[in-house]
Amino acid sequence: MQTTGVRIHGAGDVRMETFELPKLGAHELLARVVTDSMCMSTYKAVMQGSAHRCIPDDIAEHPCLIGHELCAVVEQVGEALQGQYQVGEVFTAQPKMYRDGKVVGLGYTFPYYGGDATHIIIPQEAIDGGYLLPYQGKAYYSASVAEPISCLVSALRSMYHLKEEGSKEHVMGLKAGGKLAIIAGCGPMGLGCAAVAMAMEPRPSKIVITDINEARVRRAREVLKPQSGVELEIVNTAEFEDTAKTLRERYTGGAGFDDVMIMAPVPSVAETADAVCGTDSCINFFAGPTRKDFFASINLYDVHYNDKHLIGTSGGDMEDLRIAVRLLESGAIDASILLTHIGGLDAVAPCVCQLPSIPGGKKLIYCGLRLPLTAIDEFEEKGKQEPLFAALAEICKRHGMLWNAEAEAYLLAHGERM
């Protein structure tokens, strides 16, 4: 059968194309992709092309599908998998896979396995490796957010602290009852980080999220609320004369934060994160840079004498994804707070190369539809001319101007098919 998908042919060269899928193998699945959320990691891969560690060298001759934050539905089961998988089963997937000790990935490496397509073939190595995970939540879009949430679960599970002063043993996770700073954190992953931190154990007593963009700060205050007894502060630091000093004194009494997440690959952000840390603190450089020569100044005196720990995490594993799925299925995390735009498959190629310059949070793609990328807060204005957006605006108003399961169902029923 034919599929339509967005493939990378070279650095900066992505195209939506219709092409033939091969005959389904006995150990493969045919799936219909419902949603895929656009990720900054895809932008980095598209910009780097074959220089990216997961993109093959021969993409000019054998292009690969992009997109890795998918929710898909099984449509056909290979002969050898009968009884193991069912037609209609909904799943998400762990994109980071390993082949002969090297990292390969959904949405990076495969010609027929990626999130930005109408139909895909799930290869045997993804199935045998256990990289698929059933999803039983109330909305398809929540499953698409499971992968980025799993990256945040991984990040917070990777933090560590001394078991006790002078000990050589470490305790994994955020410092229980401590203070967490999320620097440059009013984007989608920063909000998601705070939501995960409030939903998991061990959890902090206070979270401080900073940003310098007032629009992002306002939205963060609107959509993110304190949970589980955690105190939440969302702060615009643009006018602070000395950002690090003000944050330390105002929110930690001068002692410094126990855990710090760096959410933007900017030297000044990393240096602020370093300067707000206290004793036995842990900094996670979460925001992956595109440059291999990215440097920032770090106080190594504190590393040596004050037990400051510096780590970086990229992606998650299957356990992180399982945790993320449980949090989303249970409603402990609302995926909607990450989403600010929706679009159809035809929106991917024009937008992915411009992703850093498009404001707002996560961009959610409905892969079976044609729809320009549209911000949720633009629905009402567009609705003056287009009945579809008028209806979506009314639905979203009933849900605090957040994307929601009712809006998704309406869009899937009334949107233009690919």
Side-chain angles (χ1 to χ4, degrees):
M1 66 173 293
Q2 285 191 326
T3 186
T4 300
V6 181
R7 300 192 290 184
I8 179 170
H9 292 255
D13 184 0
V14 287
R15 312 171 198 171
M16 187 176 78
E17 303 165 308
T18 298
F19 54 94
E20 197 75 22
L21 290 174
K23 181 181 178 181
L24 189 69
H27 296 269
E28 297 176 333
L29 299 170
L30 174 70
R32 171 175 57 88
V33 184
V34 183
T35 57
D36 185 78
S37 56
M38 297 175 70
C39 178
M40 201 61 71
S41 295
T42 299
Y43 161 77
K44 295 170 187 174
V46 167
M47 291 297 96
Q48 293 173 0
S50 293
H52 189 278
R53 65 175 182 161
C54 296
I55 301 289
D57 292 333
D58 62 348
I59 51 173
E61 296 79 28
H62 303 285
C64 295
L65 282 172
I66 63 170
H68 61 270
E69 298 179 0
L70 60 74
C71 177
V73 179
V74 175
E75 289 208 335
Q76 188 176 338
V77 180
E79 183 179 355
L81 300 177
Q82 297 292 325
Q84 298 180 48
Y85 293 89
Q86 306 296 322
V87 172
E89 186 175 4
V90 180
F91 68 88
T92 186
Q94 166 59 252
K96 185 190 289 186
M97 302 163 53
Y98 295 90
R99 181 194 296 160
D100 301 324
K102 292 183 63 178
V103 178
V104 297
L106 155 69
Y108 297 91
T109 309
F110 299 91
Y112 310 116
Y113 184 41
D116 290 319
T118 56
H119 292 81
I120 58 175
I121 290 179
I122 316 298
Q124 182 177 351
E125 65 181 299
I127 296 166
D128 290 350
Y131 294 109
L132 302 186
L133 193 62
Y135 188 79
Q136 299 176 1
K138 296 180 179 179
Y140 294 111
Y141 69 83
S142 291
S144 277
V145 175
E147 193 281 330
I149 291 294
S150 79
C151 299
L152 295 165
V153 170
S154 173
L156 298 187
R157 291 178 70 210
S158 298
M159 309 295 270
Y160 67 99
H161 302 274
L162 297 177
K163 186 174 182 179
E164 57 188 24
E165 188 176 357
S167 172
K168 293 182 175 63
E169 294 184 64
H170 293 95
V171 178
M172 301 305 297
L174 297 175
K175 180 165 285 189
K179 296 178 176 64
L180 166 65
I182 305 174
I183 309 297
C186 286
M189 295 304 278
L191 300 186
C193 183
V196 172
M198 290 187 286
M200 287 177 56
E201 293 280 5
R203 61 175 59 97
S205 62
K206 176 181 286 187
I207 298 175
V208 177
I209 308 175
T210 77
D211 211 295
I212 58 172
N213 182 294
E214 182 59 27
R216 287 199 299 264
V217 169
R218 283 199 306 270
R219 181 179 185 273
R221 289 171 177 163
E222 290 170 358
V223 304
L224 189 65
K225 304 302 179 185
Q227 295 181 31
S228 306
V230 179
E231 184 181 350
L232 179 64
E233 299 278 357
I234 301 171
V235 186
N236 188 335
T237 60
E239 303 302 321
F240 288 6
E241 185 174 341
D242 186 329
T243 298
K245 181 180 179 182
T246 304
L247 290 172
R248 285 180 69 107
E249 292 181 352
R250 184 177 297 180
Y251 299 106
T252 74
F257 288 88
D258 302 292
D259 294 283
V260 182
M261 296 289 296
I262 300 171
M263 305 306 291
V266 178
S268 61
V269 171
E271 288 162 5
T272 295
D274 179 66
V276 300
C277 283
T279 301
D280 186 29
S281 58
C282 190
I283 306 172
N284 190 322
F285 182 50
F286 183 82
T290 54
R291 290 169 40 200
K292 294 182 179 180
D293 60 344
F294 181 90
F295 296 96
S297 296
I298 301 295
N299 186 336
L300 295 176
Y301 180 94
D302 286 345
V303 173
H304 187 82
Y305 287 107
N306 293 324
D307 297 308
K308 178 171 67 181
H309 316 298
L310 179 63
I311 65 170
T313 55
S314 176
D317 59 24
M318 279 305 297
E319 181 58 22
D320 299 318
L321 187 60
R322 290 186 190 97
I323 293 170
V325 165
R326 288 198 297 268
L327 293 172
L328 289 161
E329 287 179 337
S330 69
I333 293 178
D334 181 0
S336 301
I337 66 172
L338 278 69
L339 305 172
T340 58
H341 295 65
I342 63 164
L345 187 64
D346 55 324
V348 174
C351 295
V352 68
C353 294
Q354 311 297 324
L355 202 54
S357 63
I358 303 174
K362 278 287 200 184
K363 284 70 181 171
L364 178 70
I365 300 300
Y366 283 88
C367 296
L369 301 180
R370 291 185 180 275
L371 190 74
L373 190 70
T374 307
I376 294 169
D377 60 12
E378 295 175 353
F379 285 179
E380 187 170 14
E381 183 63 30
K382 292 196 73 169
K384 295 175 181 178
Q385 304 295 328
E386 301 177 49
L388 175 67
F389 284 107
L392 291 175
E394 286 301 315
I395 295 170
C396 288
K397 281 180 184 178
R398 295 198 293 270
H399 295 268
M401 287 311 295
L402 294 173
W403 193 241
N404 56 86
E406 183 185 358
E408 177 178 84
Y410 187 91
L411 177 63
L412 289 172
H414 297 90
E416 181 185 353
R417 305 287 179 196
M418 282 295 301

